[in-house]
Amino acid sequence: MGKYIAKRIGYMALVFLIVSFLMYSLYNLIPTDPARAELEAQKQSLKPAEYEQLYQELRAKMGLDDPLVIRYMRWMGLWPDVGDNTGFNGLLQGNFGYSYQYKKDVVNVVAAPMKNTIFINIFATILALAITIPLGIACAVRKNSKFDRFTQVFTIISYSLPSFIICILFIWVFCALLGWFPASGMKTPGSSYEGFKWFTDRMYYLALPLITMTFCSLGSMTRYVRASMIDALSMDCIRTARAKGVK
């Protein structure tokens, strides 16, 4: 058992390294230059020679002239950092990088959006389970009935549509046509609510994302619960109990 767990963890680590390296390589194909962007504000006040010297020094300081593999390993924390600090200071050490756009650490940039993402995913999963478990069981018990066939058609449509299409469709229906929910934002602009008023205002802005996430999960989860329940009902013990009149 321990060998199996270690092997699975090793596979996960290998896949993570491969995917992260591919994503890092694709990101580096974007025609951007962090060093040049950092010096853009000073460009007008510097002579061309001074600007070029500062530019080359900044590229060396950022390690932009190093090979792609070295930069990736430094980003991951598997290679010593540039400059006087020769220690490891990458992703594995908890350093998620610095945002040159927001002028702050990435951890501080993604903290608030990450909270919203976790909150929406947890509540959407709870809502989806509350709907799909009884719905899947009802479909399995009434297998091949009109209710089951209608539900299967609905779940196939829900499962087949891309999530971004569903999001755009829901924004168009519930925001543009009906005007029930706001199209963006996390709270009423300019508001400073507290207590229960803050909670209701926040849930009002989270309602449409929760509905969309829940709807996107219904198709696959309902079909999974239905298939599992059909397998359970086909077990010999269940058949024997039914033959004896047990409901």
Side-chain angles (χ1 to χ4, degrees):
M1 185 64 181
K3 184 178 180 180
Y4 172 79
I5 294 175
K7 185 183 294 185
R8 300 305 299 178
I9 293 175
Y11 287 153
M12 291 172 61
L14 179 61
V15 170
F16 172 75
L17 289 174
I18 294 174
V19 172
S20 62
F21 178 73
L22 291 176
M23 296 298 296
Y24 187 86
S25 302
L26 290 174
Y27 178 80
N28 278 268
L29 292 177
I30 301 175
T32 58
D33 192 335
R36 197 173 297 278
E38 185 74 10
L39 292 175
E40 189 63 28
Q42 308 177 35
K43 186 175 182 179
Q44 300 299 328
S45 61
L46 295 173
K47 296 180 179 180
E50 294 176 340
Y51 174 81
E52 185 64 24
Q53 181 181 358
L54 287 176
Y55 171 70
Q56 296 299 333
E57 291 177 354
L58 189 57
R59 282 189 63 88
K61 182 180 179 181
M62 292 181 172
L64 298 176
D65 295 326
D66 295 331
L68 178 64
V69 176
I70 299 298
R71 284 184 282 143
Y72 166 75
M73 294 179 65
R74 184 180 292 127
W75 174 73
M76 283 294 298
L78 301 173
W79 193 271
D81 201 2
V82 293
D84 297 332
N85 181 15
T86 57
F88 296 90
N89 186 27
L91 185 66
L92 297 178
Q93 287 76 37
N95 180 13
F96 291 88
Y98 181 81
S99 173
Y100 293 97
Q101 178 180 356
Y102 295 96
K103 305 300 180 183
K104 60 176 66 176
D105 292 335
V106 172
V107 174
N108 298 326
V109 174
V110 303
M114 185 63 69
K115 291 179 181 178
N116 296 330
T117 301
I118 294 173
F119 179 85
I120 291 174
N121 277 275
I122 290 176
F123 274 83
T125 302
I126 294 174
L127 290 174
L129 289 174
I131 296 173
T132 56
I133 291 178
L135 185 62
I137 293 174
C139 290
V141 173
R142 305 175 186 177
K143 183 180 178 182
N144 295 326
S145 65
K146 292 183 178 180
F147 173 78
D148 179 45
R149 292 174 181 173
F150 172 80
T151 305
Q152 290 306 300
V153 172
F154 171 77
T155 56
I156 290 174
I157 295 174
S158 174
Y159 186 76
S160 302
L161 285 175
S163 58
F164 64 90
I165 295 295
I166 297 176
C167 294
I168 295 174
L169 180 62
F170 276 30
I171 291 175
W172 176 64
V173 172
F174 293 105
C175 300
L177 293 183
L178 299 177
W180 290 357
F181 304 110
S184 62
M186 291 300 298
K187 66 175 184 177
T188 302
S191 65
S192 57
Y193 300 131
E194 296 181 357
F196 183 73
K197 183 65 175 177
W198 171 86
F199 176 77
T200 55
D201 182 70
R202 184 177 178 83
M203 292 306 299
Y204 172 66
Y205 277 83
L206 286 175
L208 186 58
L210 286 174
I211 292 172
T212 306
M213 291 285 292
T214 302
F215 183 85
C216 292
S217 303
L218 292 181
S220 58
M221 295 177 68
T222 302
R223 295 178 69 84
Y224 178 80
V225 173
R226 177 182 179 273
S228 300
M229 191 63 186
I230 290 175
D231 290 340
L233 292 175
S234 63
M235 296 175 63
D236 292 339
C237 58
I238 302 297
R239 290 180 177 179
T240 302
R242 283 185 168 180
K244 293 181 178 181
V246 178
K247 296 183 179 180

